[in-house]
Amino acid sequence: MTAQEIFRLPAIDFIEAEICDLYWQYEQHCYYNKAEKEAIKQLLAVRKRLLDKEFVMDDHYKQLLNDFNKAMTEQLLQMRLAVISAYNAVKQTAADHDVIAIGKCFMAYQFSPLHPKLSEYEKEIWNILCGVYDDFVPLYQDGVINGGWTYSGGKLESENNMLYLSEKTDNWNEGLSPELTSDMHLIYPFHNLYEHTCFSIFDLLWVRDFNVEISVEYDYATYKE
C-alpha cells in the first residue's frame, strides 16, 4: 500500500478523528481535564502502533528516511556551533559567573508540505504531536535530544558523541530492515523519536525543516564567603 492508502485506512481515520475530537473537548475545558489529556496520549500511542505496523521499508522510503536523517543531522550540527558561539559571547561579559548555553531542536511546527496526506486532520495531529497546542509527548519536551544540548565551558563534546552517543559513527537502525538500512548511519535522535515517542515513521519521513531554540543562563551570588 502507498502512504496515501495507509492514511485512508478506516482504523487510522477513526483514531485520528477521535484524537481531534478529544482535543477539541480538552480545549473547551481550558486545558484542565487531565483525563482527556491522558486519553489523547494513549490514542497517539495507538495511532503510532497502527501506522508503524503498516510500514514496509523499500528503496523509496529509504531515500526519504535518508533525507530526513541528513536534514536533522545538519540542523543539529549548526545548532551545536550556535550554542558554543552564544556561550562564548555571554562568557566574555559574565566575568567569573557560571554560564550555560542550551540548544533545543524541534521538528518544524508547520506541517510539512511534502507530506502525502495534507488533510486538516493530519495537520491537527501534527500540532498535537509536536507541541504547538500542549505537551502530549513528554519525551519530546526538549525536542529531538532529551534535555537539549548544553555547553558550559571545559571539554567540548564531540559532534559524533552528540549525534551517536559514541565517539565513532554508528547506526541507530533498530526496528528497521537491517539489510536496507545497514549503511545509513541513522543518528540517535532519529532512534529516540522512532522508538521512544509517539511519532510514527510516517510522521518523520517528510520532515525537512526544524525550529531551533537557544538560551543562555548565568547566575552569581552577591555575597562573599
Side-chain angles (χ1 to χ4, degrees), residues 94-126:
D96 295 327
H97 306 323
D98 293 330
V99 177
I100 182 170
I102 305 168
K104 297 180 181 181
C105 180
F106 300 86
M107 291 181 286
Y109 303 135
Q110 182 180 7
F111 188 60
S112 174
L114 301 176
H115 199 282
K117 185 180 180 184
L118 295 174
S119 71
E120 290 306 312
Y121 269 158
E122 212 57 40
K123 294 176 184 178
E124 191 80 352
I125 293 293
W126 182 252

Side-chain angles (χ1 to χ4, degrees), residues 154-207:
K155 185 178 180 181
L156 183 61
E157 179 185 40
S158 69
E159 293 180 351
N160 267 14
N161 203 58
M162 180 184 72
L163 297 174
Y164 300 103
L165 303 187
S166 169
E167 290 302 326
K168 65 177 183 179
T169 301
D170 211 329
N171 189 23
W172 289 88
N173 64 338
E174 290 88 339
L176 298 171
S177 166
E179 294 82 11
L180 283 175
T181 61
S182 62
D183 60 344
M184 292 188 70
H185 303 305
L186 295 167
I187 60 177
Y188 179 79
F190 160 73
H191 167 81
N192 181 51
L193 292 169
Y194 179 50
E195 292 286 344
H196 301 152
T197 74
C198 293
F199 289 97
S200 161
I201 188 72
F202 288 107
D203 297 316
L204 307 178
L205 291 175
W206 291 275
V207 174

Side-chain angles (χ1 to χ4, degrees), residues 127-152:
N127 288 336
I128 292 170
L129 276 169
C130 69
V132 170
Y133 292 153
D134 201 343
D135 169 31
F136 293 102
V137 185
L139 291 179
Y140 188 65
Q141 287 178 343
D142 298 313
V144 303
I145 296 178
N146 289 335
W149 189 77
T150 63
Y151 180 60
S152 56

